[in-house]
Amino acid sequence: MADKQGNVKRKESTKKKESSKPQEKAKAKESSKPQEKAKAKESSKPQEKAKAKESSKPQENAKPEENAKPLENAKPEENSKGPEDPENPEDKVELMELPPFEVITGDRISSFYFKFQFRNVEYSSGRNKTFLCYSVDIQGGGDVETLRGYLEDEHITAPHAEEAFFTLLLPECNPELRYHVTWYVSSSPCVACAAKIAEVLRSRKGMRLTIMVARLFMWEEPEIQEGLRQLKAAGCKLKIMKPADFIYTWDTYVEPEGQTFTPWVDAQENYEYYEEKLSEILQ
């Protein structure tokens, strides 16, 4: 019995050992799974990172010119708007109408313009207009009719004030009447205007013209000087405005606007300077 029991005990103990092995293996497998999964995750991370880098390389290395090609030749208007529909009022472009260039006429000029435009400085920077104050005495049959006013223009426009005087204010003259015309001008005529004035004086025998100028326009230029000599040859009297002439022009052609006028400090000196230059040109 003892042996049998002992054998039985051994058998039971061996059974216990055998039965415990599958459990231990199962536990070992289960305990190893988290570690394997963790290792698998860790081992897969470098591969995933490598794949991500490889997949991002084409975008990083792509040339900006190749990516921008579809937009290079497209105009901003074409990208932002579709084709214009002429029947749609919103798509119609309204063009701004600019006022036409024209010569301004009137009775009296602004006091500001007179003080700036007529100042007889040597260098007329910023004075891109010509102001012409005129007086026309028309004599015939013992009666005298007087016309007064002014014209204003810009040098970039045509005609200039000198030419506009004949086309707008005195387009024709009665050969039976005599016309005594006096101009007080902010600057002397240009080449084209000098030629036009000389032509008119030669064709209108009953007209006498005196031009009083505040400044000589580009008097250093040979063609300007030649134009002034042509005026003299056609019978035009050219004179430089004295301080007294500025006062007369102020009183006769300027809207005071509550202001008074005293000739500039250097008005006499500048008059003498221009008078000398004009004498040299016309001699």
Side-chain angles (χ1 to χ4, degrees):
M1 293 292 292
D3 292 336
K4 287 181 181 179
Q5 291 177 352
N7 292 332
V8 171
K9 288 180 180 178
R10 288 192 190 95
K11 287 179 182 178
E12 290 176 356
S13 61
T14 55
K15 284 180 181 180
K16 287 180 181 180
K17 287 181 181 179
E18 290 175 356
S19 64
S20 64
K21 283 181 182 179
Q23 294 177 357
E24 289 176 357
K25 287 181 181 179
K27 288 181 181 180
K29 285 182 180 180
E30 291 176 359
S31 62
S32 65
K33 282 181 180 180
Q35 295 177 357
E36 290 175 357
K37 289 180 180 180
K39 286 181 181 179
K41 286 182 180 180
E42 290 177 358
S43 63
S44 64
K45 283 181 180 179
Q47 295 177 357
E48 291 175 358
K49 289 182 180 179
K51 288 181 179 179
K53 286 183 179 180
E54 290 175 0
S55 62
S56 64
K57 279 182 182 180
Q59 297 176 356
E60 293 175 355
N61 296 331
K63 294 182 181 180
E65 293 81 4
E66 295 176 356
N67 292 336
K69 275 182 180 178
L71 298 177
E72 277 181 353
N73 298 327
K75 295 181 180 179
E77 295 81 3
E78 294 175 353
N79 290 336
S80 58
K81 294 182 180 181
E84 293 184 357
D85 184 3
E87 297 181 358
N88 188 355
E90 296 181 356
D91 290 341
K92 292 182 179 179
V93 179
E94 295 183 1
L95 299 178
M96 182 183 296
E97 293 186 3
L98 298 177
F101 292 115
E102 59 182 0
V103 175
I104 299 174
T105 62
D107 296 328
R108 290 179 175 267
I109 67 176
S110 166
S111 58
F112 170 80
Y113 283 129
F114 173 81
K115 289 183 176 180
F116 180 73
Q117 297 288 348
F118 273 83
R119 186 166 184 177
N120 59 348
V121 291
E122 181 178 359
Y123 299 102
S124 55
S125 176
R127 293 168 173 84
N128 59 347
K129 291 176 177 285
T130 297
F131 282 81
L132 187 155
C133 302
Y134 63 87
S135 174
V136 181
D137 293 331
I138 305 174
Q139 299 178 350
D143 297 329
V144 178
E145 180 184 1
T146 301
L147 306 176
R148 285 193 180 92
Y150 83 95
L151 296 91
E152 168 192 347
D153 75 358
E154 294 184 4
H155 285 170
I156 60 174
T157 64
H160 289 176
E162 296 91 334
E163 182 179 352
F165 173 84
F166 296 109
T167 57
L168 298 179
L169 301 178
L170 206 62
E172 57 184 19
C173 293
N174 187 338
E176 298 180 359
L177 302 178
R178 298 184 64 84
Y179 298 81
H180 295 274
V181 182
T182 303
W183 290 352
Y184 298 88
V185 193
S186 56
S187 62
S188 59
C190 65
V191 176
C193 287
K196 181 66 177 180
I197 296 169
E199 178 186 350
V200 171
L201 292 177
R202 285 191 293 266
S203 63
R204 302 180 184 184
K205 301 299 182 181
M207 178 181 291
R208 298 291 179 266
L209 175 63
T210 300
I211 302 179
M212 310 287 294
V213 299
R215 301 182 307 274
L216 291 177
F217 173 70
M218 298 179 65
W219 61 268
E220 304 96 334
E221 301 297 328
E223 58 269 23
I224 293 290
Q225 297 179 6
E226 181 60 28
L228 297 178
R229 285 190 285 267
Q230 288 181 8
L231 287 176
K232 180 183 177 181
C236 177
K237 294 181 180 180
L238 284 169
K239 296 182 179 180
I240 304 297
M241 292 177 66
K242 301 177 182 178
D245 296 318
F246 290 111
I247 296 175
Y248 171 80
T249 305
W250 172 274
D251 293 337
T252 309
Y253 298 99
V254 177
E255 185 64 48
E257 300 172 342
Q259 300 186 33
T260 58
F261 173 71
T262 301
W264 306 277
V265 176
D266 54 355
Q268 179 64 29
E269 179 182 354
N270 292 339
Y271 156 73
E272 295 173 356
Y273 171 81
Y274 279 124
E275 177 67 21
E276 180 182 357
K277 298 303 179 184
L278 181 60
S279 298
E280 294 174 357
I281 294 171
L282 299 180
Q283 66 180 4

